[in-house]
Amino acid sequence: MSSCLKLASPGMTLGRSGLRSAFPSHGRLHLRMPSLNASTTTPYLYRPFSHSSAFSAAHADLKPNTLKPVDYAAIEQKWLKRWKLGKDAARSATSDTTAPKGANSKEVASLSDKEKFYILSMFPYPSGILHMGHVRVYAISDALARARRMMGYDVVHPMGWDAFGLPAENAAIERSIHPNEWTIKNIDVMKGQMEKILADFDWDRELRTCSPEYYQWTQYLFLKLHEAGLAYQKEAVVNWDPVDQTVLANEQVDSEGKSWRSGAVVEKRKLRQWFFKITEYADDLLQDLDRLQHWPERVKQMQRNWIGKSQGAEFDFTVSSSKDAIQVFTSRPDTVYGVQFLAVSTEHPILDAVPKSHQKGLENFKESLKTVAASGSDGEAKPEGVNTGLFADHPFLPGTKIPVYAVNYVVSDYGTGAVMGVPGHDERDFNFAQTQGIKAKYVIVNEESTEGEKGPLTARGVLSGDCGEFSHMSSEDASKAIINKANALGFGREKTSFRIRDWLLSRQRYWGAPIPMIHCHGCGPVPVPEKDLPVVLPMDVEFTGRGGSPLKQIESWVNCSCPKCGGNAKRDTDTMDTFVDSSWYFLRYLDPHNKSLPFSHAKATAGMPVDIYIGGVEHAILHLLYSRFLSKFAWKTGLYGKGVAIEDKEGKDPGHGEPFKVLVTQGMVQGRTFKDPVTGAFLHPTEVDLTDPQKPIQISTGKAPAESYEKMSKSKFNGVDPGDMITTHGADATRLHILYKAPPSEELEWDEQSIVGMQRFLAKVWRVVGQSAANQGSAAFSPDVQAMNDDERELWRLTNYTIKELTTSFQNTYAFNTSIAFLIKLTNQLSTLTPTPSSQTTTTTTVSKKPKKNQAQVSPALFQHSVEALVKMLSPLAPAFGEECWEAMHDNASSSEQDIQLLHRSVFAESWPVHDDNALKEDKVVCGVQVNGKGRFTVEFEVSELPKDKAVQEQFLRDLIYQHERAAKWLKDDQGEAKQVKKMIVVKGGKNVNFVI
């Protein structure tokens, strides 16, 4: 029987021995999709292939063939269909055995005997458009997931949708489409786009945060936080549109402080809102950053700065007229003698004591702050304030009166709502003092000090002679002594303060998870009983963009009974910040269909932490911080985890409820951007002549435009549609290109012109696969280095070296750009070789870096082994092409196309190759010779020739180098005598020698 996979071009057939045909002189190789039988119950994915020795022997005399280019679009569609068929069949076969009847959650969690590995990319907002940034992050996570499965792990690689949010509500207003309908349509579109980039997600775990099945448990966690005293209400300032009578998000306020919709000047208004008490976890969140050994240091530093722990002191300044005290926190108690004013927030209670003579001025100032001012270039408003007419007694300088100012740069919910004004040693205080005509007083002397100071001296130093008993003490010693005295006299104390504020989660919008609280006139805020969850968003709503949240207008939804007293009550009409939805979704993925709990204790304990979390650095602060908070809360309250004692004993990494073990933050994808060099206006690609891509010309002027790489956006005309790239170049080549152009953490400058390099690489791999397929039937490979010729030893070494580097990349460094470079190098090496049985080998030629007509000859078994390793390592990066190569190499002879479909074993069901340490030892060393640090020539020697003794080793290398013909030019004089050498430096066992002359 010699049935083969039929090809679209006439006269071509593909059997398991390889391709054989009289190929036409042109055209592509089109592999036709075999007919699929949907009723098949055994998934092809898990059926192992078996070699047919009879078939191999019958075709042992076949010669290698050169394959025509692959039709990438055709094979991508082919493998997408096969993967779907395989998953459907596997799902059908396992649906009845995944959770045995009577099995509890702990038993179900341990059904797999494989080590679990959880890979997660940050889930997207369903905008309906997949951009190149998405392609980059999903290509990274997909490659990691596929490789880890081949390494034998039970991989969790889910995907879902961060589906609540303002854009959907805006769409409802602008396009008269319900947010739910708009969101679901966008999800369907984006799922199709994800399929096109060949991303293999666990869609059985898919979730949408806008689904009641999900936000029921978001509400459940809110209630648990409320029960623990970590969810509470207080007044907070919001952006208020006085025309539309609605609250605006910060992004709805333009640079001029006006509403994006009505154009009205936006005001500041206080509303009663819900908060999570994240400050309660501030110490844990800060200290446990040290446990995150696999996070980028810059991300951890950003979180440290956001939490902002400060050690200092709290002093009491008594107000002269009322005898009430203003408590102020300072991280610089050594500057207390330099206090020239106190600055308080406009909400500070001491302002109730403002004398009548200053009340109007204070009210006018407060009124001016209601308008949202445009921020300066530094993103902060200029310091402004008004004298309140109040004075406070300086606790260390009896009889000294300190004026009190209400200012815009101190907020009521940070610290005590009051700070010391020390213009001489604080930049912000100095800037404010200038607006009030206050001349700075300096009480610290340091290296910055000069006569006639003109700015603040912020460094520590030595206290001046104006500081009483603390004069001439160092800042460090004085700080301790000042705190001790204040503590002894009862007007001060040591204090720790945090910059982080409690998490404001109320949103006065419709498209979000309703806050599960009921407001009763008699009982106050009452939690919705758990049995009544979810509080479902009503779908029959009208969107006008005016009058606040549509929820307030639905009386049948708002009006309800108090769960506590049974009286008339009203639902809370605020919805939750979408950060709440995304702060726990990684836990739900582990148990997505649980109808009793947000997740079972056993499954979450077994699956957490996420082993690799991948996403943009723009989420380095809020999303990651909130996720750490919710995860730690769930861990501390026993929703998952084994507790600190057991986990510390087991060496849990990172432990303490930290949700993400490894964090990979990918850089942005930047597009080629053109500007008019005169006006600075962005140019559309149609306005630029790109006949020569290296020399663009602005059509309107005939001159070169200004060129740069910037973040992709519509306004800059530099966006790239992933769909266009895939249609033009194929998904595999696009994935390889985006992974090869830059390390994941760095910015990627998109250059479509260079994708062709990846296509050439794949074409070369395909030719090598053709050689391997044509020589199927060779004996199983068993490495015997002693019996290998030079070319075989070099191929054996390079194959193992590549395996080692790729394994390190997929497990630790994630340096896919260098991984692909190693694969290219191995492919280039293979392309210079001809697999020839040893009995036919008559000569051994030195391996060259470029193919030659007389190619080096190696064992077919070794060649096959190396090509198999190459295809396995390439497949996670270019999955459809990898599958096609594997099938070409290993398809079984069969009587029908259906049998080929069933017998084919996916490359992803294969084991990841393992390197042999012994193979990494080089037989020869190429030594680079430098003279005064500049490379001049190379010499080569056998590793076995190099003496072990260092002095003898140097003499051996010196003799070898001076024998080289080019030594006469660089190391000898005109008479042929050796030049005087000041120093000879030998590096890495003779791999480099530098002569200092």
Side-chain angles (χ1 to χ4, degrees), residues 335-597:
T335 65
V336 69
Y337 280 84
V339 175
Q340 294 179 266
F341 61 88
L342 298 182
V344 301
S345 77
T346 56
E347 307 300 327
H348 198 285
I350 199 66
L351 297 182
D352 292 339
V354 169
K356 288 184 178 180
S357 59
H358 288 74
Q359 286 178 359
K360 186 174 182 179
L362 176 62
E363 291 305 316
N364 289 340
F365 177 65
K366 285 184 176 182
E367 193 66 26
S368 71
L369 296 182
K370 289 182 178 180
T371 300
V372 181
S375 297
S377 59
D378 58 358
E380 293 185 5
K382 294 180 180 179
E384 297 176 352
V386 63
N387 194 323
T388 65
L390 296 173
F391 290 88
D393 297 325
H394 195 303
F396 285 94
L397 295 171
T400 301
K401 302 294 184 181
I402 306 296
V404 179
Y405 287 82
V407 299
N408 65 341
Y409 62 86
V410 177
V411 292
S412 60
D413 57 349
Y414 176 58
T416 62
V419 299
M420 301 187 326
V422 187
H425 305 288
D426 182 271
E427 188 170 350
R428 188 176 54 182
D429 292 342
F430 181 86
N431 292 336
F432 176 71
Q434 285 188 311
T435 68
Q436 302 298 315
I438 301 173
K439 185 178 180 180
K441 175 183 178 182
Y442 298 92
V443 296
I444 304 292
V445 180
N446 55 40
E447 295 178 354
E448 299 177 5
S449 302
T450 59
E451 291 293 331
E453 302 291 356
K454 295 183 179 180
L457 302 177
T458 57
R460 287 173 167 78
V462 176
L463 272 66
S464 70
D466 299 328
C467 301
E469 63 192 272
F470 309 106
S471 297
H472 311 301
M473 293 177 66
S474 69
S475 289
E476 290 74 16
D477 292 341
S479 293
K480 295 176 184 177
I482 288 171
I483 293 173
N484 288 338
K485 181 172 182 179
N487 190 53
L489 297 178
F491 58 76
R493 61 214 59 90
E494 190 173 13
K495 185 78 171 180
T496 298
S497 181
F498 290 92
R499 178 179 178 273
I500 190 174
R501 305 179 198 176
D502 283 341
W503 175 4
L504 193 164
L505 62 106
S506 289
R507 295 294 182 269
Q508 292 72 40
R509 298 194 290 272
Y510 165 76
W511 194 235
I515 291 176
M517 297 296 291
I518 291 172
H519 298 275
C520 174
H521 181 72
C523 304
V526 180
V528 172
E530 287 181 17
K531 65 180 179 62
D532 293 337
L533 297 181
V535 177
V536 179
L537 272 178
M539 290 290 109
D540 186 16
V541 292
E542 182 179 351
F543 295 93
T544 64
R546 300 175 182 273
S549 170
L551 292 176
K552 289 185 176 181
Q553 317 305 323
I554 308 174
E555 293 188 7
S556 60
W557 185 86
V558 173
N559 296 323
C560 60
S561 298
C562 173
K564 196 171 183 179
C565 69
N568 293 333
K570 294 183 180 293
R571 295 191 185 280
D572 198 305
T573 57
D574 284 354
T575 54
M576 289 187 236
D577 176 12
T578 56
F579 273 125
V580 182
D581 307 317
S582 61
S583 64
W584 74 279
Y585 76 112
F586 45 88
L587 286 158
R588 182 64 177 177
Y589 275 141
L590 296 170
D591 196 8
H593 308 297
N594 195 325
K595 295 182 179 180
S596 303
L597 290 168

Side-chain angles (χ1 to χ4, degrees), residues 787-899:
M788 292 180 184
N789 62 38
D790 290 347
D791 303 310
E792 290 171 337
R793 278 195 293 272
E794 175 60 18
L795 177 58
W796 177 235
R797 186 197 67 78
L798 183 57
T799 299
N800 280 275
Y801 188 74
T802 305
I803 293 171
K804 181 182 179 183
E805 291 298 327
L806 267 289
T807 303
T808 299
S809 178
F810 277 106
Q811 290 184 343
N812 298 309
T813 64
Y814 319 114
F816 298 115
N817 56 321
T818 57
S819 296
I820 295 170
F822 280 115
L823 293 175
I824 292 172
K825 184 177 181 180
L826 177 58
T827 303
N828 289 340
Q829 182 80 340
L830 286 163
S831 68
T832 68
L833 305 174
T834 299
T836 307
S838 57
S839 61
Q840 300 177 26
T841 303
T842 57
T843 60
T844 300
T845 57
T846 304
V847 176
S848 63
K849 293 183 179 179
K850 293 184 179 180
K852 295 181 179 179
K853 290 183 179 179
N854 297 321
Q855 290 191 315
Q857 298 172 337
V858 297
S859 155
L862 171 58
F863 191 87
Q864 171 76 7
H865 172 83
S866 298
V867 176
E868 283 187 348
L870 168 66
V871 172
K872 286 180 181 179
M873 293 184 288
L874 174 62
S875 294
L877 305 166
F881 181 78
E883 289 275 35
E884 191 71 11
C885 290
W886 195 254
E887 181 181 67
M889 294 172 67
H890 293 114
D891 242 339
N892 292 278
S894 128
S895 59
S896 70
E897 290 179 343
Q898 180 182 337
D899 289 339

Side-chain angles (χ1 to χ4, degrees), residues 98-273:
T98 301
K101 290 183 178 180
N104 60 38
S105 60
K106 186 174 293 187
E107 292 169 334
V108 172
S110 61
L111 284 176
S112 174
D113 58 357
K114 292 183 178 180
E115 183 179 350
K116 286 182 171 57
F117 202 88
Y118 190 175
I119 298 174
L120 183 61
S121 50
M122 295 181 184
F123 66 171
Y125 179 79
S127 62
I129 301 174
L130 207 64
H131 55 69
M132 294 307 297
H134 288 125
V135 176
R136 190 179 194 191
V137 68
Y138 302 146
I140 292 169
S141 73
D142 187 61
L144 289 171
R146 291 178 184 274
R148 283 285 179 171
R149 286 195 185 101
M150 295 175 75
M151 292 174 187
Y153 290 90
D154 181 8
V155 174
V156 176
H157 185 222
M159 178 49 67
W161 310 96
D162 193 7
F164 274 136
L166 191 59
E169 201 159 336
N170 290 341
I173 297 170
E174 296 169 1
R175 307 175 196 178
S176 299
I177 183 174
H178 195 283
N180 188 63
E181 182 184 351
W182 186 80
T183 300
I184 298 303
K185 283 183 177 179
N186 286 349
I187 287 174
D188 290 340
V189 171
M190 290 182 72
K191 281 184 74 171
Q193 293 171 331
M194 288 181 178
E195 182 181 82
K196 288 180 181 178
I197 65 171
L198 311 179
D200 182 24
F201 293 114
D202 300 340
W203 289 112
D204 290 344
R205 298 179 185 269
E206 180 184 10
L207 57 82
R208 301 193 307 268
T209 59
C210 66
S211 165
E213 289 77 16
Y214 182 86
Y215 68 72
Q216 168 182 359
W217 304 113
T218 303
Q219 294 171 341
Y220 173 92
L221 291 172
F222 177 97
L223 294 180
K224 290 298 180 185
L225 285 157
H226 184 267
E227 183 182 312
L230 297 175
Y232 67 96
Q233 262 189 316
K234 70 174 183 179
E235 286 194 332
V237 175
V238 297
N239 300 321
W240 180 258
D241 184 328
V243 173
D244 284 347
Q245 296 288 298
T246 189
V247 174
L248 301 176
N250 288 333
E251 57 267 33
Q252 292 177 308
V253 182
D254 68 18
S255 59
E256 297 180 350
K258 296 180 179 180
S259 168
W260 71 293
R261 183 173 175 79
S262 71
V265 175
V266 176
E267 300 175 354
K268 291 291 187 180
R269 180 172 292 193
K270 277 199 164 187
L271 290 180
R272 195 158 181 81
Q273 306 203 69

Side-chain angles (χ1 to χ4, degrees), residues 2-142:
S2 58
S3 297
C4 303
L5 178 60
K6 297 178 182 178
L7 302 168
S9 299
M12 294 190 288
T13 54
L14 171 62
R16 69 175 298 267
S17 294
L19 287 170
R20 52 192 177 91
S21 144
F23 280 101
S25 59
H26 62 277
R28 288 181 171 179
L29 172 63
H30 296 276
L31 300 183
R32 181 154 57 89
M33 177 68 190
S35 59
L36 305 178
N37 188 339
S39 64
T40 302
T41 57
T42 305
Y44 80 94
L45 193 61
Y46 304 103
R47 282 283 297 274
F49 70 86
S50 58
H51 289 285
S52 168
S53 57
F55 185 87
S56 300
H59 295 273
D61 60 339
L62 289 178
K63 303 298 182 184
N65 289 286
T66 301
L67 307 185
K68 296 297 179 180
V70 179
D71 184 336
Y72 296 105
I75 68 167
E76 286 162 13
Q77 289 304 310
K78 164 185 171 179
W79 289 104
L80 283 170
K81 291 177 182 177
R82 286 204 185 179
W83 291 333
K84 185 178 185 301
L85 178 72
K87 284 195 172 186
D88 289 346
R91 189 181 297 113
S92 176
T94 59
S95 60
D96 295 330
T97 60
T98 301
K101 290 183 178 180
N104 60 38
S105 60
K106 186 174 293 187
E107 292 169 334
V108 172
S110 61
L111 284 176
S112 174
D113 58 357
K114 292 183 178 180
E115 183 179 350
K116 286 182 171 57
F117 202 88
Y118 190 175
I119 298 174
L120 183 61
S121 50
M122 295 181 184
F123 66 171
Y125 179 79
S127 62
I129 301 174
L130 207 64
H131 55 69
M132 294 307 297
H134 288 125
V135 176
R136 190 179 194 191
V137 68
Y138 302 146
I140 292 169
S141 73
D142 187 61

